[in-house]
Coordinates of all heavy atoms in Angstrom, one line a residue:
N19 N -6.6 16.3 -11.6 CA -7.0 15.9 -13.0 C -6.3 14.7 -13.5 O -6.8 14.2 -14.5 CB -6.8 17.1 -13.8 CG -7.6 18.3 -13.5 OD1 -8.7 18.1 -12.9 ND2 -7.3 19.6 -13.8
N20 N -5.1 14.3 -13.1 CA -4.3 13.3 -13.7 C -4.3 12.0 -12.8 O -3.9 11.0 -13.3 CB -3.0 13.8 -13.9 CG -2.9 14.8 -15.0 OD1 -3.2 14.4 -16.2 ND2 -2.7 15.9 -14.7
C21 N -4.8 12.0 -11.5 CA -4.8 10.7 -10.9 C -5.8 9.9 -11.4 O -7.0 10.2 -11.5 CB -5.0 11.0 -9.4 SG -5.3 9.6 -8.5
P22 N -5.5 8.6 -11.9 CA -6.4 7.7 -12.5 C -7.5 7.1 -11.5 O -8.6 6.7 -12.0 CB -5.4 6.5 -13.0 CG -4.3 6.6 -12.1 CD -4.1 7.9 -11.7
V23 N -7.3 7.3 -10.1 CA -8.4 6.8 -9.2 C -8.8 7.8 -8.3 O -9.6 7.5 -7.4 CB -7.8 5.6 -8.5 CG1 -7.5 4.3 -9.4 CG2 -6.5 5.9 -7.8
S24 N -8.7 9.1 -8.8 CA -9.3 10.2 -8.0 C -9.0 10.1 -6.4 O -10.0 10.2 -5.7 CB -10.8 10.2 -8.2 OG -11.1 10.3 -9.6
V25 N -7.7 10.1 -6.1 CA -7.3 10.2 -4.7 C -7.4 11.6 -4.3 O -7.9 11.8 -3.0 CB -5.8 9.7 -4.7 CG1 -5.2 10.1 -3.3 CG2 -5.7 8.2 -4.7
F26 N -7.2 12.5 -5.0 CA -7.2 13.9 -4.5 C -8.4 14.8 -4.8 O -9.3 14.4 -5.8 CB -6.2 14.8 -5.3 CG -4.8 14.2 -5.2 CD1 -4.3 13.4 -6.4 CD2 -3.9 14.4 -4.2 CE1 -3.1 12.8 -6.2 CE2 -2.7 13.9 -4.1 CZ -2.2 13.0 -5.0
E27 N -8.7 15.7 -3.9 CA -9.8 16.7 -4.3 C -9.2 18.1 -3.8 O -8.3 18.2 -3.0 CB -11.1 16.3 -3.5 CG -11.0 16.4 -2.0 CD -12.3 15.9 -1.4 OE1 -13.2 15.1 -1.8 OE2 -12.7 16.6 -0.3
M28 N -10.0 19.1 -4.3 CA -9.6 20.5 -3.9 C -10.4 21.0 -2.7 O -11.5 20.6 -2.5 CB -9.8 21.4 -5.2 CG -8.9 21.2 -6.4 SD -7.2 21.1 -6.1 CE -6.9 22.9 -5.7
Q29 N -9.7 21.6 -1.9 CA -10.2 22.2 -0.6 C -9.7 23.5 -0.4 O -8.3 23.5 -0.1 CB -10.0 21.2 0.5 CG -11.3 20.9 1.4 CD -11.1 19.8 2.4 OE1 -10.4 20.1 3.3 NE2 -11.7 18.7 2.2
D30 N -10.5 24.5 -0.3 CA -9.8 25.9 -0.2 C -8.6 26.1 -1.1 O -7.5 26.6 -0.7 CB -9.4 26.1 1.3 CG -10.6 26.0 2.2 OD1 -11.7 26.3 1.9 OD2 -10.4 25.4 3.4
S31 N -8.8 25.9 -2.3 CA -7.7 26.1 -3.3 C -6.4 25.4 -3.1 O -5.3 25.8 -3.6 CB -7.4 27.6 -3.5 OG -8.6 28.2 -3.8
K32 N -6.5 24.3 -2.4 CA -5.3 23.3 -2.2 C -5.8 21.9 -2.4 O -7.0 21.6 -2.2 CB -4.8 23.4 -0.7 CG -4.4 24.8 -0.3 CD -3.0 25.1 -0.6 CE -2.6 26.5 -0.1 NZ -1.2 26.9 -0.5
A33 N -4.9 21.0 -3.0 CA -5.2 19.8 -3.1 C -5.1 19.0 -1.8 O -4.2 19.3 -1.0 CB -4.2 19.1 -4.1
V34 N -5.9 18.2 -1.5 CA -6.0 17.2 -0.3 C -6.1 15.8 -0.7 O -6.7 15.5 -1.7 CB -7.0 17.7 0.8 CG1 -6.8 19.0 1.3 CG2 -8.4 17.7 0.2
V35 N -5.7 14.9 0.2 CA -5.8 13.5 -0.1 C -7.1 13.1 0.5 O -7.2 13.1 1.6 CB -4.6 12.7 0.6 CG1 -4.8 11.2 0.3 CG2 -3.3 13.1 -0.1
A36 N -8.0 12.8 -0.4 CA -9.4 12.3 0.0 C -9.5 11.0 0.3 O -10.3 10.4 1.1 CB -10.4 12.9 -1.0
Q37 N -8.9 10.2 -0.6 CA -9.0 8.7 -0.6 C -7.7 8.0 -0.7 O -7.4 7.3 -1.7 CB -9.9 8.2 -1.7 CG -11.3 8.7 -1.8 CD -12.2 8.1 -2.8 OE1 -12.8 7.0 -2.6 NE2 -12.1 8.6 -4.1
G38 N -6.8 8.2 0.2 CA -5.5 7.7 0.1 C -5.4 6.2 -0.1 O -4.3 5.7 -0.6
D39 N -6.4 5.5 0.6 CA -6.3 4.1 0.6 C -6.4 3.4 -0.8 O -6.1 2.2 -0.9 CB -7.4 3.4 1.6 CG -8.8 4.1 1.2 OD1 -8.9 5.2 0.9 OD2 -9.7 3.3 1.3
I40 N -6.8 4.1 -1.7 CA -7.0 3.6 -3.2 C -5.9 3.9 -4.1 O -6.0 3.5 -5.2 CB -8.4 3.9 -3.7 CG1 -8.5 5.4 -3.9 CG2 -9.5 3.3 -2.9 CD1 -9.8 5.8 -4.7
C41 N -4.9 4.5 -3.6 CA -3.8 4.9 -4.4 C -3.0 3.7 -5.0 O -2.9 2.7 -4.3 CB -2.7 5.7 -3.5 SG -1.2 5.9 -4.3
E42 N -2.7 3.8 -6.2 CA -2.1 2.6 -6.9 C -0.7 2.7 -7.0 O 0.1 1.9 -7.7 CB -2.7 2.5 -8.3 CG -4.3 2.0 -8.2 CD -5.0 2.0 -9.6 OE1 -4.5 2.4 -10.5 OE2 -6.1 1.4 -9.7
G43 N -0.1 3.9 -6.5 CA 1.4 4.1 -6.7 C 2.1 4.3 -8.0 O 3.2 4.0 -8.3
C44 N 1.2 4.8 -8.9 CA 1.6 5.0 -10.2 C 2.7 6.2 -10.5 O 3.2 6.4 -11.5 CB 0.4 5.2 -11.3 SG -0.4 6.8 -10.8
E45 N 2.7 6.9 -9.4 CA 3.6 8.2 -9.4 C 3.3 9.4 -10.3 O 4.0 10.2 -10.5 CB 5.1 7.8 -9.6 CG 5.7 6.8 -8.5 CD 7.1 6.4 -8.7 OE1 7.8 7.2 -9.5 OE2 7.5 5.6 -8.1
T46 N 2.2 9.2 -11.0 CA 1.8 10.4 -11.8 C 1.6 11.7 -11.2 O 2.0 12.7 -11.6 CB 0.2 10.2 -12.5 OG1 0.5 8.8 -13.2 CG2 -0.2 11.2 -13.4
C47 N 1.0 11.6 -10.0 CA 0.8 13.0 -9.1 C 2.3 13.6 -8.8 O 2.3 14.8 -9.0 CB 0.1 12.6 -7.9 SG 0.8 11.2 -7.0
V48 N 3.3 12.8 -8.7 CA 4.5 13.3 -8.3 C 5.1 14.0 -9.5 O 5.6 15.0 -9.5 CB 5.4 12.2 -7.7 CG1 6.9 12.7 -7.5 CG2 5.0 11.5 -6.4
S49 N 4.8 13.3 -10.6 CA 5.5 13.8 -11.9 C 4.8 15.1 -12.3 O 5.5 16.0 -12.9 CB 5.2 12.8 -13.0 OG 5.8 11.5 -12.7
V50 N 3.5 15.2 -12.1 CA 2.8 16.4 -12.7 C 2.9 17.7 -11.8 O 2.6 18.8 -12.2 CB 1.3 16.1 -13.1 CG1 1.3 15.0 -14.3 CG2 0.5 15.7 -11.9
C51 N 3.0 17.5 -10.5 CA 3.1 18.5 -9.6 C 4.3 19.6 -9.8 O 5.4 19.1 -9.7 CB 3.2 18.0 -8.1 SG 3.1 19.4 -7.0

Side-chain angles (χ1 to χ4, degrees):
N19 295 332
N20 289 288
C21 174
V23 291
S24 303
V25 162
F26 304 96
E27 63 181 36
M28 297 303 293
Q29 227 172 67
D30 299 328
S31 302
K32 303 274 185 183
V34 294
V35 176
Q37 304 187 85
D39 53 320
I40 61 172
C41 170
E42 297 176 341
C44 69
E45 297 185 15
T46 301
C47 52
V48 177
S49 304
V50 298
C51 180

